[in-house]
Amino acid sequence: MNRDDIIRMAREAGGYPSANTDRALLLLSESHLERFAALVAAAEREECAKLVDEEMADYRYGTPPNIALNNAAAAIRARGQQ
């Protein structure tokens, strides 16, 4: 996740889309800030799950390591559903 991703998520959360400065992030309301935090957390979870998916590809389907890594990726993604 880079700076542009973070600014995009802040705008998606309901910040001021026309603002082009870092100070625009200070204008987020509490509900917008909560939405922003949720978007950042979801993006980070997905990046972590993708890393696990990449490792899983190193093991033949159905083997214990493949199953364990698949379960780990699913658990990471499920954290956003709680």
Side-chain angles (χ1 to χ4, degrees):
M1 189 173 348
N2 60 35
R3 181 180 185 280
D4 291 338
D5 293 331
I6 291 169
I7 290 171
R8 176 189 49 76
M9 285 184 265
R11 289 180 178 153
E12 186 178 329
Y16 293 81
S18 62
N20 292 321
T21 68
D22 293 340
R23 291 187 187 144
L25 298 178
L26 298 174
L27 302 175
L28 293 174
S29 68
E30 186 175 326
S31 63
H32 289 127
L33 189 56
E34 288 174 4
R35 174 75 178 129
F36 173 65
L39 289 169
V40 171
E44 186 65 18
R45 277 192 306 274
E46 185 56 28
E47 288 300 314
C48 291
K50 285 179 181 179
L51 290 173
V52 175
D53 288 341
E54 290 172 13
E55 288 297 315
M56 184 176 58
D58 290 342
Y59 298 95
R60 195 174 72 244
Y61 180 78
T63 61
N66 177 275
I67 293 168
L69 289 166
N70 185 50
N71 290 342
I76 291 167
R77 289 183 173 108
R79 289 183 57 93
Q81 307 304 315
Q82 296 175 358

